[in-house]
Amino acid sequence: MKKFSIAVLPGDGIGPEVTKQAVNVLKAVGKKYSAEFVFKEGLIGGCAIDACGKALPEETLKLCRESDAVLLGAVGGPKWDDLPGDQRPEAGLLGIRAGLKLYANLRPALIFPSLKGASPLRPDLVKDGLDVMVVRELTGGIYFGRRGRTTTAEGEAAAFDTEIYSVPEVKRVARVAFEIAKVRRKRLASVDKANVLESSRLWREAVTELSLEYPEIELTHMYVDNAAMQLVRNPAQFDVIVTTNMFGDILSDEASVITGSIGMLPSASLGDGKLGLYEPVHGSAPDIAGQDKANPLASILSAAMMLKYSLGLSEAADDMEKAVNRVLESGCRTADIATPGTRLVGTEEMGKLIADCI
Ligand code: IPM
Ligand code: MG
């Protein structure tokens, strides 16, 4: 029996309730595939601030480093919105990404066949489907560059944030994207703003240089404004997208909503080793927290990515994805993806349906 230790960081808002369902589904998977998962909980985000005054307690980071994988819910909420930037729940999330050196964030946006009607795009635009993997740089760029407040020569208040990338930082995340493109449709779009930003010109040079090692991959470069437009104009043209931390944040939300609901989208954050952090792309949704309304599928699909990328259990991961598809095909939907004629279920029931299906 293979044994894996999994750090579970439920966080705030709907984080705990969706994560609970993912854990239950993992338990069902463990039984079927003779794997033992040992779950250990840790604090992150607003709940950690309340309990110990820090969004990312040292113990949490230690727990994660000693684990095979990390399953995270979501962080943040109105209660902590007035705290200074470096003390907010979100600082915990940035801290754990950097602390575990997870520089590549994989955000697959995929339209499930049974949810075709849920996309806000006209049917003729999504006719060819959507299956895009956004690879977002996660531990650099403007999120981590020098920032601060200053005053202008006239004495007016001003502020700045710095976008900075080194060649190795660009190449290591681009390598992840090239490798993923290799086992997909062999097309990679590198998104930047090289017509304006010097950091983007360096980004483009580094990606181009690396592409010499991947002659079988068709590489294109695209400006971010054009990429945002192309995603809604003809989403099927994309296979893998690689981009900076901030552009990836924005484009992955855009790609996700094209699939119907951000409540469906998982993510994996990876570094050089096997340790990865798995979390839904959605946030903590405080408005519906604790009401059994949240869609647990993004968390469940994140757990499936964990099986594949950190634990080497690809077959079990496929099984989980199939279970999600089967339950959707049976017509069960949480509120965010419900359409007339489908059966509305809550968070708990959706989780149970998937676990039973396994
Ligand atoms: C995300 C979120 C985070 C980010 C926030 C909560 C800090 O939007 O994971 O996409 O910007 O990275
Ligand atoms: Mg985001």
Side-chain angles (χ1 to χ4, degrees):
M1 180 109 121
K2 282 192 202 138
K3 195 169 166 177
F4 300 101
S5 53
I6 297 170
V8 180
L9 315 180
D12 309 315
I14 60 170
E17 53 199 290
V18 296
T19 307
K20 182 174 162 210
Q21 298 313 314
V23 166
N24 285 344
V25 173
L26 280 174
K27 285 180 182 159
V29 168
K31 274 198 197 121
K32 180 162 171 186
Y33 289 88
S34 320
E36 190 188 340
F37 302 120
V38 181
F39 300 100
K40 287 192 190 143
E41 281 206 13
L43 292 171
I44 193 165
C47 60
I49 294 173
D50 288 350
C52 52
K54 272 172 89 175
L56 180 61
E58 209 32 67
E59 298 107 86
T60 299
L61 210 45
K62 183 164 175 283
L63 169 71
C64 295
R65 288 196 177 114
E66 288 164 356
S67 303
D68 293 302
V70 183
L71 185 66
L72 191 141
V75 301
K79 183 174 173 192
W80 307 282
D81 272 350
D82 295 329
L83 291 172
D86 57 347
Q87 291 165 36
R88 290 172 61 102
E90 288 82 355
L93 194 54
L94 300 188
I96 198 170
R97 290 169 177 170
L100 300 176
K101 301 192 169 63
L102 305 172
Y103 56 80
N105 183 214
L106 279 42
R107 299 188 159 187
L110 179 79
I111 297 193
F112 278 79
S114 45
L115 290 183
K116 258 202 167 132
S119 174
L121 287 191
R122 282 203 322 260
D124 60 308
L125 293 174
V126 283
K127 64 175 187 308
D128 299 325
L130 170 78
D131 180 0
V132 184
M133 175 69 91
V134 178
V135 179
R136 168 189 178 193
E137 200 290 324
L138 202 60
T139 53
I142 201 164
Y143 272 59
F144 290 91
R146 219 164 71 79
R147 73 179 95 254
R149 295 288 177 122
T150 180
T151 40
T152 64
E154 294 77 33
E156 302 290 355
F160 62 94
D161 298 271
T162 320
E163 170 93 344
I164 176 163
Y165 273 114
S166 68
V167 170
E169 260 180 316
V170 178
K171 282 192 176 173
R172 67 182 181 180
V173 69
R175 188 175 291 286
V176 172
F178 275 111
E179 290 294 331
I180 290 173
K182 237 162 117 175
V183 294
R184 289 175 47 107
R185 300 191 301 280
K186 300 193 169 46
R187 293 206 318 270
L188 178 63
S190 173
V191 173
D192 61 40
K193 188 71 187 169
N195 49 347
V196 177
L197 303 178
E198 198 54 39
S199 54
S200 277
R201 288 192 268 273
L202 178 115
W203 177 281
R204 194 175 276 222
E205 282 160 28
V207 174
T208 305
E209 208 175 287
L210 187 66
S211 71
L212 301 177
E213 291 180 36
Y214 294 93
E216 71 276 36
I217 307 294
E218 185 195 318
L219 171 69
T220 52
H221 300 279
M222 210 180 257
Y223 298 140
V224 63
D225 47 350
N226 184 28
M229 178 175 72
Q230 295 300 333
L231 262 175
V232 289
R233 207 185 63 90
N234 175 17
Q237 72 183 283
F238 292 104
D239 178 14
V240 181
I241 291 175
V242 64
T243 189
T244 63
N245 205 340
M246 186 160 72
F247 295 161
D249 178 45
I250 298 167
L251 292 180
S252 62
D253 265 30
E254 187 189 359
S256 77
V257 80
I258 298 173
T259 70
S261 170
I262 195 168
M264 292 293 301
L265 280 238
S267 86
S269 303
L270 307 172
D272 281 331
K274 281 254 167 264
L275 176 67
L277 172 85
Y278 300 85
E279 58 174 319
V281 169
H282 65 67
S284 60
D287 53 322
I288 57 163
Q291 298 170 39
D292 196 40
K293 281 186 183 160
N295 186 348
L297 293 178
S299 184
I300 291 169
L301 291 167
S302 298
M305 290 187 90
M306 175 173 99
L307 296 179
K308 180 171 169 186
Y309 290 102
S310 281
L311 310 184
L313 299 171
S314 290
E315 199 190 324
D318 290 347
D319 208 5
M320 272 176 90
E321 283 164 14
K322 280 193 197 123
V324 169
N325 213 9
R326 264 199 308 259
V327 169
L328 289 174
E329 259 158 22
S330 77
C332 296
R333 302 276 194 279
T334 44
D336 57 317
I337 48 175
T339 43
T342 55
R343 187 166 84 80
L344 187 66
V345 300
T347 313
E348 289 265 345
E349 188 177 356
M350 182 56 100
K352 190 167 180 310
L353 286 165
I354 310 283
D356 289 349
C357 201
I358 304 279

